[in-house]
Amino acid sequence: MNATNTSRFVRLQVELVLEISDAQELTDAALAHVTEDAHAADVERTHAEAAVREDVAEALAHLVDPFDLISEVPGVELAQASWSSERIDYNPDAVEWDLDEDDEEGPA
């Protein structure tokens, strides 16, 4: 496939597992972020504050912005982004958490 037949768009998939070491600090930071959002309507802000207080995964989702990941990368522009977070059971020694499993397949 030559350059004229390839898409200019690339899907970058990133999976992170984060350990919450201080839930209150995370929640407080997310609440501050929600409060500072000048574009949110009052009803949206109230809903976001309740969600952040209820679940650290929601708090994290309010603080992580995919644009921040690529804003300093030259020659790219974010076309679309979506993200979510959820609480999980995590065992770093379990096979399903082997992040290098795709590397064993060889070059694509």
Side-chain angles (χ1 to χ4, degrees), residues 27-49:
T27 300
D28 291 347
L31 286 171
H33 181 75
V34 169
T35 301
E36 295 167 0
D37 185 357
H39 301 292
D42 287 343
V43 68
E44 292 171 345
R45 187 176 295 112
T46 300
H47 175 73
E49 288 171 348

Side-chain angles (χ1 to χ4, degrees), residues 3-101:
T4 59
N5 293 338
T6 60
S7 175
R8 298 178 321 168
F9 297 93
V10 173
R11 181 183 306 241
L12 173 66
Q13 294 180 309
V14 177
E15 183 170 341
L16 304 170
V17 176
L18 306 173
E19 180 178 1
I20 307 301
S21 59
D22 189 332
Q24 189 60 54
E25 183 177 23
L26 174 62
T27 300
D28 291 347
L31 286 171
H33 181 75
V34 169
T35 301
E36 295 167 0
D37 185 357
H39 301 292
D42 287 343
V43 68
E44 292 171 345
R45 187 176 295 112
T46 300
H47 175 73
E49 288 171 348
V52 163
R53 284 188 182 97
E54 193 173 299
D55 186 359
V56 294
E58 284 290 330
L60 182 61
H62 279 276
L63 292 172
V64 173
D65 183 349
F67 178 76
D68 292 341
L69 296 174
I70 61 96
S71 63
E72 299 292 323
V73 177
V76 300
E77 182 177 324
L78 183 63
Q80 180 181 352
S82 67
W83 66 103
S84 65
S85 61
E86 62 184 339
R87 288 179 177 255
I88 58 167
D89 291 325
Y90 176 67
N91 176 354
D93 299 324
V95 173
E96 64 264 21
W97 292 104
D98 183 6
L99 298 179
D100 294 326
E101 67 186 27

